[in-house]
Amino acid sequence: MKIVTYNVNGIKARLPRLVEYLTEQQPDIVCLQELKASDDTLPVADIEAAGYGAVWHGQKGWNGVAVLAKGAQPVERQRGLAGEPEDAHSRYLECDVDGLVVAALYLPNGNPQPGPKFDYKLRWMDRLAARARLLLAAEVPAVLAGDYNVIANDDDSYSVRAMAQDALMQPESREAYRRLLAQGWTDALRTRHPAGGVWTFWDYQAGAWQRDAGFRIDHLLLSPAVADRLIDAGVDKQYRAREKASDHAPTWVMLR
């Protein structure tokens, strides 16, 4: 079973690349982020034509997440996180798919920091941790897959100096991510590539792709029951090189 997280950076602009990826790689489950489209304008027919059922949590112009399943219809469990009823951002969608609980999440960027956007990021991470704790307590096989906007370790970035002031690499962001892992979640990509140096994102600016100046911010966290099934994890980096590609590459885990 191949489970993918993929920040498409605008599903309408990247639809040909997404359909191409689904057709060529045939992943079993795909969690999408940054759809930048409302629910009523999402290209559901194109996704279904590629052989995938889908549940969407869109938002016009911003954010947006989805869960796709090959040859099946995901069953929605929850959209959004408890804790801030006034939070209208479409950043969390949890579904049942083929015996797994799969959550697609798009964590706030948090820049500029310090400031209200960074404060919101940290509160959102606390809310995610509360939901994750409930999933572990229920002992359900679960995967939390998405763009976490956290560079967890120095060797998850091409340059510590370049990112030192960025919200993605602040001590508070890293500590919140580590507290999440400490609940009992396994960072699949880190487990398979403990030395780091594996990127999932390359900015469009300053020739970042050409210089391989990237960092790792797309993560798949596995509950204990799922971690026991881990075979491999990696990044389909070649898709970042294609015409009009997202600035993220599909990031995946393979399970027994």
Side-chain angles (χ1 to χ4, degrees):
M1 176 183 286
K2 184 175 185 178
I3 303 175
V4 174
T5 182
Y6 192 5
N7 180 321
V8 292
N9 190 16
I11 193 166
K12 294 176 184 177
R14 314 295 168 210
L15 184 60
R17 298 289 80 80
L18 174 59
V19 171
E20 190 174 71
Y21 182 76
L22 296 176
T23 302
E24 293 176 4
Q25 295 295 324
Q26 294 286 306
D28 297 282
I29 301 171
V30 183
C31 295
L32 302 178
Q33 303 88 38
E34 211 170 345
L35 303 177
K36 297 181 179 178
S38 59
D39 284 340
D40 58 353
T41 63
L42 288 163
V44 178
D46 297 271
I47 300 300
E48 290 176 344
Y52 286 77
V55 176
W56 311 88
H57 183 22
Q59 185 174 346
K60 184 179 180 180
W62 304 95
N63 307 318
V65 287
V67 177
L68 316 184
K70 185 173 70 173
Q73 179 61 39
V75 177
E76 182 176 330
R77 290 169 54 97
Q78 177 173 313
R79 59 179 56 203
L81 292 170
E84 290 192 33
E86 69 281 7
D87 184 4
H89 288 197
S90 299
R91 294 184 177 274
Y92 184 87
L93 180 62
E94 184 180 299
C95 295
D96 284 315
V97 184
D98 197 19
L100 293 177
V101 173
V102 179
L105 61 98
Y106 178 42
L107 211 140
N109 178 283
N111 284 302
Q113 69 83 29
K117 290 187 177 181
F118 189 60
D119 295 341
Y120 171 61
K121 178 191 186 86
L122 297 179
R123 293 198 310 273
W124 203 95
M125 294 187 79
D126 286 342
R127 292 160 60 202
L128 174 63
R131 180 60 188 168
R133 198 174 295 112
L134 289 176
L135 291 174
L136 289 179
E139 298 185 350
V140 294
V143 180
L144 305 179
D147 177 356
Y148 282 71
N149 270 318
V150 174
I151 300 171
N153 308 280
D154 285 356
D155 56 17
D156 286 324
S157 173
Y158 76 99
S159 171
V160 171
R161 181 177 178 181
M163 299 302 295
Q165 300 306 312
D166 198 283
L168 278 61
M169 217 170 79
Q170 292 312 296
E172 298 93 334
S173 305
R174 288 180 161 187
E175 178 57 30
Y177 184 74
R178 292 189 182 110
R179 287 199 303 269
L180 184 61
L181 293 181
Q183 293 180 0
W185 298 91
T186 294
D187 181 335
L189 203 62
R190 188 72 183 178
T191 298
R192 295 297 297 166
H193 304 276
V198 177
W199 317 142
T200 68
F201 170 89
W202 298 258
D203 202 307
Y204 291 129
Q205 306 299 318
W209 169 250
Q210 292 76 9
R211 296 185 294 116
D212 197 29
F215 38 89
R216 184 177 78 100
I217 54 176
D218 301 275
H219 309 312
L220 297 108
L221 303 191
L222 315 180
S223 71
V226 180
D228 286 345
R229 298 166 55 187
L230 177 62
I231 298 172
D232 202 1
V235 182
D236 285 330
K237 182 178 178 179
Q238 68 272 24
Y239 287 89
R240 174 62 178 83
R242 300 196 178 185
E243 185 180 2
K244 296 183 178 179
S246 171
D247 44 9
H248 294 249
T251 304
W252 53 267
V253 61
M254 195 75 72
L255 305 177
R256 293 185 186 87

